[in-house]
Amino acid sequence: MTPVTGAGEQRGAEVVDERGSTLPPAGHDGAVDEFSEHRVSPSEQTTIQIPAQHAVGEGPGRPTAIQVVSSWSSAHGPIVKKVALGVAVCLVGVAGFAGLRKIADAPAAPDARGNSTQGPGADKSTPDEAAEGVRRAAAGQAVLQKMADAIDEKRKASFLDTIDPKATAFDAQARTIYSNLGKLPLATFQLRYVSDDVGALPPDRQSELGGTESWLAQVEVSWQLSGFDAKPARETLPVTFVTRDGTTYAASFSERFVAGQRRPIWALGGIEVAKGEHSLVISLDSQADADDYATVTDRAVSSVTKVWGKNWKQKAVIYLPAKQSDMEYVLGAQPGTYTQIAAVTMAELDTPLTGAPTRIVANPKLFEELGRQGRRIVLTHETTHVASTATASPVPLWLAEGFADYVAFTAVSVQDESAAKELFKAVRAGKTPKTLPTPEAFAASSADLPQAYESAWLACRLISEREGQSKLVQFYRAVHVSKSRTGLADAFKTVLGTTEQEFTADWQRYLKRLAGV
């Protein structure tokens, strides 16, 4: 698969704020996370602008997005970890498409019975080095298992016994993590030792840790939210271990994160949790009203179900970071990547599977500035992607984004002249789109980004107006489930009784009529 990257560009759609207040434009939040150790004619209505940025997402039939390859060397040869990050975000007064990060090619996990942590190149290590690797893996996994058992059995003292008594800063973080996990409706929680690197800790850090030995390991953490997740969420954490007085402890969960490595929201600070009828809101922002967000999300779920139908889980999990950097850590993104993004939908799993746990991650500054009505539009759009499993779908971007916009604007009415302002401007200037939006048109660097989203929305609305809303849903589903490379063309023929070329001509005439040309 060919790596594809997208840079930033913004667009705005005018949305009425039900409170009737004019909100200031979004700015950049340059806050730095405490655990980090290295490192776009105004209507007469009262309006707000919802900026947007987009990078091509990943899924069957899609190109792979932003691929970052990093490696850790072990005592028995190099262990290669591949990290792929793909996030598709759409805001036409709405928010994001599919996002997912993939960690692949990790060696099998060791366990207490003595399985080896050997990876590629392990035949170059000596028997003593291999034995030492097995010993470290067994010691580390024993600590991790005790941690997981303590969380499962709600034994705080046992959990804290696994923390290095001299790691005072980590002790405070560990207490917060334990408290956070206790607030979540956990069905499962597991920690799995994956690999280690005895040379990763610099001499001064090893000296600071003391003890008889210390090392950095990569640990897979997985957790499943009861009632919300069909599969566990899964991420990889760098865990520092230290052995002193014959006992091995965990001394850090936050050393040497690499580019593209996500961080669990429950490891970033104290969380508040609110549960609605169809929603779970996990907030790092103590000032945010999580219960209010749960209510808005419940309405979004209801709006999506009215269009999509009841044959989905009808649940949504919302992450509310406290600051921009929190959002970037949760998504594994570089600083500033999401400055102009209101929200992103991501799959919190290492493979693009149907049923992967999905999360809607909000940009704290922009999301608050949207106001209740704007947030409802954003959450309805995002929830549409959750319902339609857009994180693992072969549907073309114009259909995925246009359909999500269609559902959102069906739930919250916005005037055409406002929602399609940039597109109408182009059509009136004699620049009617020649084709349905291509994947490249949704790239954040595309000069035609606003028109791409607006064009996609109106293409889906045209199908609904001509054939009925149920046919639009049927068309989307037909493309979604198709295993054929001609799935889109087949759906145009079998569901809509036309061809893409014929539909495009009809759509162009529709745009001109709406624009008054």
Side-chain angles (χ1 to χ4, degrees):
M1 294 183 288
T2 305
V4 177
T5 63
E9 179 161 335
Q10 65 181 20
R11 60 185 287 258
E14 296 173 331
V15 180
V16 178
D17 177 54
E18 64 181 15
R19 295 177 298 189
S21 60
T22 302
L23 300 176
H28 174 68
D29 181 1
V32 178
D33 183 82
E34 61 182 309
F35 298 121
S36 175
E37 298 183 19
H38 299 281
R39 309 276 185 226
V40 197
S41 74
S43 169
E44 293 179 357
Q45 301 169 328
T46 300
T47 64
I48 57 176
Q49 278 202 329
I50 304 177
Q53 178 182 354
H54 182 87
V56 178
E58 180 178 348
R62 300 187 195 283
T64 302
I66 311 177
Q67 187 176 67
V68 181
V69 179
S70 54
S71 64
W72 295 274
S73 60
S74 72
H76 11 279
I79 297 176
V80 178
K81 300 284 287 182
K82 294 184 179 178
V83 181
L85 169 65
V87 177
V89 181
C90 68
L91 293 171
V92 58
V94 281
F97 176 56
L100 62 95
R101 167 191 179 274
K102 182 167 65 178
I103 298 178
D105 300 338
D111 59 28
R113 295 186 180 89
N115 288 344
S116 173
T117 59
Q118 294 174 338
D123 57 324
K124 296 180 181 179
S125 64
T126 68
D128 287 345
E129 289 173 332
E132 285 297 291
V134 172
R135 179 188 59 78
R136 288 192 303 273
Q141 184 60 47
V143 173
L144 298 173
Q145 190 60 55
K146 187 176 181 180
M147 277 186 169
D149 290 344
I151 290 167
D152 181 52
E153 298 164 12
K154 302 185 185 305
R155 292 185 287 109
K156 184 177 181 179
S158 180
F159 179 84
L160 294 177
D161 283 345
T162 66
I163 307 304
D164 180 14
K166 294 190 176 183
T168 55
F170 181 54
D171 179 79
Q173 184 189 7
R175 290 174 184 272
T176 299
I177 289 173
Y178 180 85
S179 175
N180 287 346
L181 292 172
K183 297 176 183 179
L184 296 176
L186 292 177
T188 62
F189 183 83
Q190 296 180 335
L191 295 164
R192 182 174 70 91
Y193 196 107
V194 175
S195 64
D196 64 24
D197 184 355
V198 293
L201 297 176
D204 59 343
R205 176 58 171 150
Q206 290 183 324
S207 176
E208 176 188 358
L209 287 165
T212 55
E213 69 173 339
S214 57
W215 72 95
L216 182 69
Q218 297 301 321
V219 172
E220 181 189 82
V221 55
S222 63
W223 68 99
Q224 188 171 0
L225 300 177
S226 180
F228 291 89
D229 296 339
K231 295 180 173 66
R234 187 173 293 115
E235 296 185 14
T236 302
L237 284 176
V239 178
T240 300
F241 292 97
V242 61
T243 300
R244 62 178 80 256
D245 301 324
T247 302
T248 299
Y249 304 96
S252 173
F253 272 9
S254 55
E255 288 188 86
R256 297 180 67 83
F257 277 96
V258 299
Q261 191 166 4
R262 292 180 286 121
R263 311 186 192 192
I265 192 169
W266 43 259
L268 296 177
I271 64 172
E272 297 298 330
V273 178
K275 188 175 181 180
E277 183 179 359
H278 300 284
S279 60
L280 185 71
V281 178
I282 302 172
S283 176
L284 282 165
D285 187 353
S286 60
Q287 303 302 312
D289 188 344
D291 289 324
D292 182 64
Y293 281 92
T295 299
V296 176
T297 304
D298 283 346
R299 293 182 69 187
V301 170
S302 177
S303 296
V304 172
T305 300
K306 287 179 182 178
V307 178
W308 184 251
K310 296 182 179 180
N311 57 339
W312 67 292
K313 200 170 185 65
Q314 298 182 57
K315 300 283 186 178
V317 178
I318 315 300
Y319 285 171
L320 296 179
K323 48 194 174 183
Q324 180 78 32
S325 57
D326 291 338
M327 181 187 189
E328 292 159 353
Y329 290 152
V330 167
L331 295 169
Q334 293 297 319
T337 303
Y338 295 102
T339 302
Q340 302 300 327
I341 301 303
V344 176
T345 295
M346 75 169 183
E348 202 162 36
L349 192 65
D350 52 3
T351 50
L353 299 176
T354 299
T358 52
R359 314 290 188 232
I360 298 171
V361 186
N363 180 322
K365 182 175 177 60
L366 297 186
F367 218 63
E368 185 60 32
E369 291 177 353
L370 292 178
R372 187 180 180 87
Q373 198 79 324
R375 288 195 293 270
R376 186 181 174 199
I377 292 174
V378 170
L379 288 172
T380 303
H381 180 107
E382 299 288 351
T383 303
T384 302
H385 288 316
V386 174
S388 59
T389 61
T391 56
S393 177
V395 297
L397 287 178
W398 73 262
L399 181 55
E401 303 298 353
F403 181 69
D405 279 357
Y406 170 82
V407 178
F409 288 145
T410 298
V412 181
S413 180
V414 178
Q415 293 183 355
D416 290 357
E417 194 63 38
S418 175
K421 181 172 63 176
E422 296 302 318
L423 175 61
F424 288 171
K425 185 186 300 183
V427 172
R428 289 163 185 158
K431 299 178 181 178
T432 302
K434 297 183 183 303
T435 65
L436 292 167
T438 64
E440 292 76 20
F442 289 96
S445 59
S446 171
D448 297 325
L449 182 64
Q451 295 95 312
Y453 288 111
E454 295 163 8
S455 296
W457 163 52
L458 290 175
C460 288
R461 198 179 76 173
L462 174 59
I463 295 173
S464 178
E465 289 181 0
R466 284 183 18 170
E467 306 292 338
Q469 182 172 279
S470 61
K471 274 293 182 72
L472 171 60
V473 175
Q474 184 182 347
F475 177 70
Y476 188 107
R477 291 183 185 277
V479 182
H480 174 70
V481 301
S482 177
K483 305 297 183 183
S484 171
R485 303 179 75 175
T486 60
L488 179 63
D490 295 342
F492 266 118
K493 181 178 180 180
T494 61
V495 179
L496 302 181
T498 187
T499 65
E500 182 173 347
Q501 183 177 11
E502 291 169 343
F503 174 79
T504 299
D506 292 341
W507 166 72
Q508 289 169 327
R509 287 189 288 271
Y510 179 65
L511 296 183
K512 291 178 180 179
R513 176 167 62 82
L514 291 176
V517 175

